[in-house]
Amino acid sequence: MTKLSTRSRTDLYIHIGLVVAFTVVLVLTFFFVYLPFSTNHGQTITVPDLKHMSLDELENYLEDRDLRYEVSDCTFVAGGVPLTVFAQYPTPGSNVKEGRKIYLTIIKRMAPTVVMPNLVDQTSRTAELLLGSMGLVMGELTYEPDLGKNKVLRQYANGQEIKAGSPIAKGTKVDLVVGDGEGKVFFAAPDVVGLPFDEAATLIQGSGLRVGVRVPVDDPEQEVGTVTKQKPKAGERIRVGQTVDVWVVGPVSSDVDESQ
């Protein structure tokens, strides 16, 4: 075997040059041949949309596309199909390398439970917001006579009245009985015909009723502002909170609050 001579300075330079050249070849081979080959450089796969797919479908589906998956989280979704994909990372449409693992969030089979809140005496709108914040669903509203309009009187789940503090599954519909703004007590409607409108309005409101529609009428024989007719008529049964419509001589003014 012939050895390189380093007896002269020229031989030494030649020896060093060969070592440097060999090193450069090794580095270039590693970065431009071995590394791209080992990492599948330039070969990417578009991540498919896996949402709503079942775990049974995923294995073969991803294997055919040179991808893998791992369940990283579970969540409950009201109305969702258990053991199906709810979310994924990377997101659909992303470009990844072969063999990349897709992390999945799966819908739970069993719903977690929460504590039933107290909705009684809340408004139906407040109750709806509170139910939504706890993962519950507003169900049907049933109205009953009560002076508190849209005030929650009772709360039900699965057809049974449910007390505050009871455990209830997320996603459960909660039905509410609410007030219609009218009382339960019936009495005879007051007689306001022949009274000036302001006195009639005071009498109506003082009876726990509300002034309803004011219909202008033309009657030259009576003073402007006089009530000539009412509905319901005097003496008819009426419930607390209901309205009394009146017919008034002359144009209707807006100096009296009819909403009370």
Side-chain angles (χ1 to χ4, degrees):
M1 180 176 179
T2 303
K3 295 185 179 180
L4 292 176
S5 173
T6 58
R7 293 178 181 178
S8 66
R9 181 172 295 179
T10 301
D11 292 339
L12 178 60
Y13 288 157
I14 293 174
H15 183 72
I16 293 173
L18 290 173
V19 172
V20 171
F22 182 71
T23 303
V24 170
V25 170
L26 284 179
V27 171
L28 293 177
T29 301
F30 176 78
F31 281 103
F32 292 98
V33 179
Y34 172 75
L35 194 60
F37 177 79
S38 63
T39 60
N40 295 320
H41 181 69
Q43 299 179 27
T44 59
I45 299 173
T46 301
V47 176
D49 187 356
L50 306 177
K51 196 168 185 180
H52 305 309
M53 291 187 65
S54 68
L55 289 177
D56 292 337
E57 299 175 278
L58 284 173
E59 191 74 44
N60 292 333
Y61 184 82
L62 291 178
E63 186 176 336
D64 291 343
R65 289 160 177 77
D66 295 320
L67 296 171
R68 299 176 297 148
Y69 78 89
E70 178 179 317
V71 177
S72 60
D73 195 13
C74 293
T75 187
F76 175 76
V77 179
V81 180
L83 302 182
T84 59
V85 177
F86 176 71
Q88 67 182 83
Y89 181 82
T91 56
S94 303
N95 291 322
V96 298
K97 297 186 182 300
E98 293 181 359
R100 173 64 188 266
K101 186 179 291 184
I102 310 299
Y103 296 92
L104 305 176
T105 299
I106 301 299
I107 298 177
K108 288 182 178 180
R109 186 186 299 274
M110 298 296 294
T113 59
V114 294
V115 175
M116 179 66 198
N118 183 20
L119 306 178
V120 176
D121 293 332
Q122 304 283 349
T123 65
S124 58
R125 177 57 179 162
T126 300
E128 183 176 9
L129 293 174
L130 184 56
L131 289 172
S133 69
M134 302 188 69
L136 301 171
V137 180
M138 171 76 94
E140 295 183 359
L141 296 181
T142 303
Y143 291 88
E144 283 189 1
D146 190 272
L147 288 178
K149 189 172 184 178
N150 293 322
K151 181 183 75 174
V152 177
L153 305 177
R154 294 185 300 281
Q155 52 196 32
Y156 292 84
N158 300 316
Q160 300 292 325
E161 187 168 2
I162 183 170
K163 296 181 179 180
S166 302
I168 183 172
K170 274 191 174 184
T172 301
K173 285 187 178 181
V174 178
D175 301 321
L176 302 177
V177 176
V178 298
D180 60 5
E182 301 176 358
K184 301 178 182 179
V185 179
F186 285 87
F187 58 95
D191 185 0
V192 297
V193 174
L195 297 178
F197 175 74
D198 56 351
E199 293 183 18
T202 299
L203 180 57
I204 290 171
Q205 294 165 0
S207 301
L209 303 170
R210 292 176 292 168
V211 178
V213 178
R214 293 167 58 186
V215 182
V217 297
D218 185 16
D219 190 342
E221 297 182 1
Q222 299 198 55
E223 293 186 10
V224 173
T226 302
V227 177
T228 62
K229 181 181 176 182
Q230 70 179 74
K231 182 180 180 181
K233 296 179 180 179
E236 288 186 3
R237 283 170 57 84
I238 192 170
R239 194 166 58 191
V240 173
Q242 287 187 293
T243 59
V244 177
D245 299 333
V246 291
W247 281 252
V248 183
V249 176
V252 173
S253 63
S254 57
D255 56 345
V256 176
D257 184 0
E258 301 177 16
S259 63
Q260 296 179 355

